[in-house]
């Protein structure tokens, strides 16, 4: 924890950093480690906002309180799918009730939440994609990211699909999780996954624009951003 905060002080002093983001997908795995980092930030009186990637299954109210008290303003976490069986296949434990509670606590602490979702995982169907879409709309997060499951070379999933002859990629540029599917699904075309993902962000935003509480939070978040980063 001391070395982590040493680096925070370094970028503040030498590069005039105005915010810190921990791009560490296991940042919240070890509660003790997180609490020690928060204590060290407070002990050194570092007045800098920070955000992090998080695991919704590991964070709790005590951890979020400590993070908020030490300057945390944002948390990003992966949901991926609203279908429990799909998450089970990829070895991702997720309690949807706990996730909603985590998001609720973050909102109370004015911590901006960002959730990621992935279409085209093993076992995906038209109905499971729609289920994930509806769940994303119902989850009270501030922002979302929708992507397409991409089996990168070198991963176990890539080897599995390659062995089954389900890969359609012909070049590196095909591995674009933002808008292109490289998997030949059973009962679901790659084009359907691509089209669903392409429209997802707009569908989510149109739903959120009808939520007055969500709009109010975004005004606050924008004001905080302008105060911290400046108009330019």
């Amino acid at each position: 924890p001391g070395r982590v905060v040493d680096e925070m002080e370094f970028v503040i002093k030498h590069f005039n950093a105005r915010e810190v983001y921990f791009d560490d997908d296991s940042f919240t795995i070890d509660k003790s480690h997180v609490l020690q980092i928060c204590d060290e930030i407070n002990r050194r009186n570092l007045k800098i906002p920070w955000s992090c990637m998080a695991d919704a299954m590991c964070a709790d109210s005590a951890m979020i309180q400590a993070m908020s008290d030490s300057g945390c303003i944002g948390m990003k976490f992966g949901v991926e799918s609203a279908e429990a069986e799909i998450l089970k296949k990829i070895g991702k434990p997720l309690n949807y009730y706990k996730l909603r509670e985590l998001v609720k606590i973050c909102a109370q602490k004015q911590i901006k939440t960002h959730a990621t979702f992935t279409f085209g995982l093993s076992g995906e169907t038209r109905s499971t994609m729609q289920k994930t879409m509806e769940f994303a709309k119902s989850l009270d997060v501030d922002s979302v990211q929708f992507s397409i499951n991409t089996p990168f070379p070198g991963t176990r999933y890539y080897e599995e699909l390659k062995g089954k002859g389900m890969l359609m990629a012909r070049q590196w540029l095909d591995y674009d999780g933002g808008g292109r599917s490289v998997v030949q699904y059973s009962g679901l075309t790659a084009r359907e996954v691509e089209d669903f993902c392409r429209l997802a962000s707009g569908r989510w935003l149109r739903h959120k624009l009808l939520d007055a509480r969500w709009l109010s939070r975004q005004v606050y978040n924008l004001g905080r951003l302008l105060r911290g980063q400046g108009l330019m």
Side-chain angles (χ1 to χ4, degrees):
R3 290 177 60 189
V4 172
V5 183
D6 284 345
E7 293 191 18
M8 293 178 71
E9 284 192 315
F10 183 86
V11 295
I12 293 170
K13 179 180 178 180
H14 295 280
F15 304 109
N16 193 32
R18 297 182 181 180
E19 186 174 332
V20 171
Y21 171 57
F22 293 103
D23 194 16
D24 173 5
D25 58 7
S26 60
F27 184 84
T28 59
I29 294 289
D30 186 341
K31 181 177 179 179
S32 175
H33 184 71
V34 175
L35 296 181
Q36 289 180 66
I37 288 176
C38 294
D39 287 344
E40 191 67 15
I41 290 173
N42 290 332
R43 188 183 69 79
R44 302 191 197 188
N45 198 32
L46 293 188
K47 301 297 183 181
I48 186 171
W50 59 274
S51 53
C52 66
M53 290 187 70
D55 187 303
M57 289 300 292
C58 297
D60 59 21
S61 58
M63 181 189 294
I64 295 173
Q65 180 65 61
M67 291 167 65
S68 175
D69 290 343
S70 63
C72 179
I73 62 168
M75 290 179 67
K76 173 183 176 181
F77 45 85
V79 180
E80 316 320 344
S81 175
E83 178 55 58
E85 284 302 310
I86 288 180
L87 295 185
K88 185 178 180 180
K89 287 181 180 180
I90 64 173
K92 180 180 177 65
L94 183 64
N95 181 313
Y96 296 106
Y97 174 78
K98 183 175 182 180
L99 173 62
R100 290 187 186 279
E101 288 299 302
L102 170 70
V103 171
K104 181 179 178 181
I105 295 171
C106 284
Q108 293 171 349
K109 301 299 179 184
Q110 296 180 320
I111 295 176
K112 181 179 179 180
T113 48
H114 177 84
T116 63
F117 298 87
T118 304
F119 299 117
L121 290 162
S122 294
E124 191 81 276
T125 64
R126 298 179 188 89
S127 62
T128 58
M129 288 197 298
Q130 185 59 38
K131 183 178 181 180
T132 296
M133 185 73 251
E134 295 305 316
F135 182 78
K137 287 159 59 176
S138 70
L139 194 61
D140 193 24
V141 292
D142 296 295
S143 59
V144 294
Q145 173 185 324
F146 295 106
S147 61
I148 296 174
N149 177 43
T150 305
F152 289 114
T155 63
R156 183 178 61 196
Y157 187 49
Y158 172 88
E159 295 300 332
E160 176 186 333
L161 294 180
K162 184 179 179 181
K164 295 179 179 179
M166 296 174 64
L167 283 176
M168 300 187 298
R170 294 182 175 84
Q171 57 182 338
W172 278 108
L173 290 177
D174 292 336
Y175 292 94
D176 170 21
R180 186 176 302 178
S181 175
V182 296
V183 179
Q184 182 62 55
Y185 302 96
S186 175
L188 188 67
T189 68
R191 180 62 181 273
E192 286 179 295
V193 176
E194 292 168 355
D195 288 346
F196 198 95
C197 184
R198 177 172 52 82
L199 298 173
S201 294
R203 293 175 62 189
W204 180 85
L205 183 58
R206 285 192 294 273
H207 176 79
K208 290 299 181 182
L209 288 175
L210 301 177
D211 185 339
R213 290 187 307 139
W214 181 86
L215 285 171
S216 176
R217 288 210 311 269
Q218 304 327 303
V219 171
Y220 172 82
N221 289 334
L222 178 59
R224 180 166 60 187
L225 178 68
L226 292 177
R227 289 193 302 272
Q229 303 297 328
L231 283 173
M232 299 302 292

